[in-house]
Amino acid sequence: MQKTSSRLLALLSLLQTRPEWGGDDLAERLQVTVRTVRRDIDRLRALGYPVATDKGPGGGYRLRPGSHMPPLIFDDKQVIALAVALQSTAHPAIAEDADRALATIRNVLPPRLRQRIDALHVTTVRPPDPGAPPARSLDLLTTVSTAIQRREVLHLDYSTPHREAAPQRRRVEPHHLVAWRTHWYLLAWDLDRDDWRTFRTDRMTPRTPTGPRFTARQLPGGDVPTFITSRFRGSDGTEAAWPCQGEAILNLPASEVVPHTADGIVEPLGPTRCRVITGSWSWTALAASLGRFDADLHVIGPPALIEACALLARRYAAATPSEPGRPDAPDR
């Protein structure tokens, strides 16, 4: 049986992994009695952790949000996963903050875990962008995200690529934050131009206070990735500029796919899967571009892309040499 201190840490770690735990489930995981679980919950409360109890047969325990952030407890695997994720940060806008977070975590680790993390050095290769300006802080992204959530008009000072030009004053209804290659963009309705616009966040300086609340407008097509993709390709946002555009699920982390998708959209679906929306000039070329990844994939559509994948599969099968020794096998 675990000692009280280590058991409390294990209990706190469990409470952080699920919205709610039943007393019997916790007792089984910790290999103690339900009565011991109740006593340990009281000890956590005495230490300042806001653990709520739901009464009744289907009740349980849950860790409520508190007025301040209590110490977080991670097991060994979680710490290593967190360190790898921070090292693999794909966007320069948060790279500096991720490095500081990793340094903070490393400084409090026991030597055995610190050695394992130091051995797991990850380098994320990003598409080159020599003209990219310095990334803005997370404070700006938080300010914009808050305005989006509250549906409040943003007043911006927006700089153009020409540094000698004075920043423009813009009034926008913020709709969505989008990560595209090495930059963050705000998708918004421009009140002065009466149209949808995209704004690079490293060129904008929000003014406070924010403006009045607004009713969210319907985005043309209703799909943010498709709208952004078509706008960056010079279309009006209602249809993709590529003649052929498709969607697939790749069994690879998004960080490994992004550098090879040009102006496609890559959406993480978990640590080892991602959704890819990309296009090409022909369905066969699009199918080949998806097949170049060394991973299993599931083609979502459209049917023309599925047919192109089947066509390539037949061609590759016909081009594959037979087993050595068989009469139709080529000489090597």
Side-chain angles (χ1 to χ4, degrees):
M1 183 178 295
Q2 296 172 299
K3 294 182 179 180
T4 301
S5 58
S6 61
R7 193 176 65 243
L8 286 178
L9 293 178
L11 173 59
L12 183 58
S13 179
L14 290 173
L15 289 173
Q16 292 173 166
T17 59
R18 276 181 17 189
E20 186 169 347
W21 283 88
D24 292 337
D25 293 336
L26 288 173
E28 182 180 351
R29 292 290 294 269
L30 297 172
Q31 297 182 340
V32 296
T33 65
V34 175
R35 183 178 179 182
T36 300
V37 170
R38 286 198 295 267
R39 287 201 301 264
D40 287 347
I41 291 293
D42 290 337
R43 292 188 179 101
L44 288 179
R45 288 171 178 153
L47 293 172
Y49 292 93
V51 183
T53 303
D54 295 328
K55 305 294 184 181
Y61 302 100
R62 52 189 171 85
L63 193 61
R64 295 187 292 104
S67 58
H68 64 280
M69 183 175 178
L72 301 178
I73 305 299
F74 299 100
D75 60 32
D76 290 4
K77 291 183 179 179
Q78 288 175 318
V79 169
I80 294 173
L82 183 59
V84 171
L86 289 171
Q87 290 188 56
S88 305
T89 299
H91 205 280
I94 58 175
E96 181 179 349
D97 296 285
D99 289 342
R100 291 193 300 109
L102 180 60
T104 301
I105 293 172
R106 185 185 179 280
N107 288 338
V108 298
L109 290 178
R112 59 183 178 83
L113 279 180
R114 190 180 303 129
Q115 292 172 1
R116 293 182 66 182
I117 288 177
D118 289 346
L120 266 172
H121 181 71
V122 178
T123 300
T124 300
V125 179
R126 303 182 178 94
D129 190 6
R136 300 298 294 269
S137 69
L138 284 176
D139 291 338
L140 183 142
L141 298 182
T142 302
T143 299
V144 174
S145 295
T146 301
I148 293 172
Q149 183 180 18
R150 295 178 179 175
R151 295 182 179 177
E152 295 176 340
V153 172
L154 270 178
H155 298 268
L156 309 173
D157 287 335
Y158 192 70
S159 301
T160 65
H162 308 289
R163 297 190 177 185
E164 64 276 6
Q168 302 172 355
R169 184 71 57 86
R170 311 291 282 267
R171 297 182 307 121
V172 302
E173 296 176 354
H175 183 80
H176 232 79
L177 268 177
V178 179
W180 178 275
R181 290 193 172 181
T182 57
H183 295 290
W184 287 95
Y185 292 87
L186 169 65
L187 172 60
W189 177 264
D190 193 315
L191 291 169
D192 297 317
R193 289 155 178 77
D194 200 32
D195 193 11
W196 292 97
R197 290 288 192 271
T198 54
F199 301 89
R200 264 179 45 175
T201 59
D202 57 283
R203 294 177 181 166
M204 43 186 275
T205 301
R207 287 178 167 266
T208 55
T210 52
R213 292 180 179 269
F214 61 89
T215 301
R217 301 171 187 266
Q218 182 65 37
L219 185 70
D223 183 72
V224 174
T226 300
F227 183 86
I228 289 292
T229 301
S230 59
R231 273 297 175 98
F232 278 120
R233 291 173 180 165
S235 180
D236 62 358
T238 58
E239 61 181 17
W242 285 120
C244 305
Q245 180 172 286
E247 181 178 349
I249 304 295
L250 281 170
N251 288 352
L252 279 177
S255 60
E256 296 184 19
V257 177
V258 167
H260 307 289
T261 52
D263 54 355
I265 296 291
V266 180
E267 176 187 354
L269 298 179
T272 60
R273 297 172 69 243
C274 63
R275 181 170 72 113
V276 180
I277 300 176
T278 187
S280 187
W281 295 107
S282 72
W283 294 112
T284 305
L286 179 56
S289 69
L290 292 171
R292 74 181 186 272
F293 294 99
D294 187 15
D296 293 335
L297 76 155
H298 170 67
V299 179
I300 296 177
L305 176 58
I306 298 175
E307 293 174 2
C309 289
L311 173 63
L312 283 182
R314 292 192 297 270
R315 289 177 177 172
Y316 288 143
T320 302
S322 304
E323 296 180 7
R326 293 185 56 176
D328 54 347
D331 296 331
R332 292 184 180 274

